[in-house]
Amino acid sequence: AVGRGEDNPGTGGALMETGALYLLLDDQCVEFTVVKGGVGSALEATGVFCFSDAYPGFSGHFPGNPVLPAIVQLATVRYTAERATGNNLMLLEYRRTKFRAIVRPDDLVETKIRVEEEKGVLAGSFSLCIMRDKPETVATGNCLFKKV
């Protein structure tokens, strides 16, 4: 099944996603769209997530001031890529990642990816925005995944 929630090797331990929290992303994804281009074209997908204050990722991060951990935000990128491609993916790296805003409980977070595949490796970019009256960029960066 896509999204097994296993920790990803090959990241030096720095960016390993917590398996149990990853598995819960199915319940947090409230909307999903994908646009597939022609042969050799990029694939674009958007997942919209809502993390209630009951989501375990907020536990202890931080008491009285809950903030969605960056690792969970990055997990939405892999989740969106897996769901769009229908493949299990192993994270090879996130690059040039910039975090610009804080995600709080019940924020609607839109994760957009644009990836191209070559020889089983998907490379591309991502952005996360909080959906408010005026959308606020949460994070941007580049990603590299391998089909497993």
Side-chain angles (χ1 to χ4, degrees):
V2 173
R4 294 176 306 202
E6 296 173 0
D7 289 338
N8 288 316
T11 60
L15 294 173
M16 296 175 80
E17 298 160 350
T18 303
L21 295 177
Y22 187 87
L23 290 174
L24 294 172
L25 290 178
D26 273 335
D27 296 332
Q28 314 314 307
C29 187
V30 297
E31 185 179 321
F32 185 81
T33 57
V34 63
V35 177
K36 294 183 181 182
V39 175
S41 296
L43 176 141
E44 296 179 15
T46 302
V48 178
F49 300 84
C50 186
F51 298 90
S52 74
D53 59 358
Y55 182 71
F58 289 115
S59 179
H61 199 265
F62 298 94
N65 188 23
V67 174
L68 189 68
I71 199 68
V72 176
Q73 295 173 41
L74 291 175
T76 69
V77 174
R78 187 182 84 165
Y79 176 91
T80 302
E82 284 187 331
R83 191 157 167 197
T85 63
N87 292 290
N88 289 317
L89 301 174
M90 179 177 69
L91 170 66
L92 296 176
E93 69 179 354
Y94 289 117
R95 207 178 320 156
R96 297 184 179 174
T97 303
K98 295 183 182 175
F99 293 94
R100 302 163 190 236
I102 293 173
V103 178
R104 303 278 185 197
D106 299 317
D107 280 343
L108 279 179
V109 179
E110 180 183 72
T111 299
K112 288 186 175 187
I113 64 158
R114 183 180 191 282
V115 293
E116 293 189 46
E117 181 183 349
E118 185 175 329
K119 297 180 183 175
V121 174
L122 284 93
S125 59
F126 67 88
S127 66
L128 281 75
C129 291
I130 298 172
M131 305 306 292
R132 297 186 174 138
D133 291 336
K134 180 180 176 194
E136 183 176 0
T137 300
V138 174
T140 58
N142 296 320
C143 53
L144 192 63
F145 298 104
K146 180 180 178 182
K147 289 184 179 181
V148 291

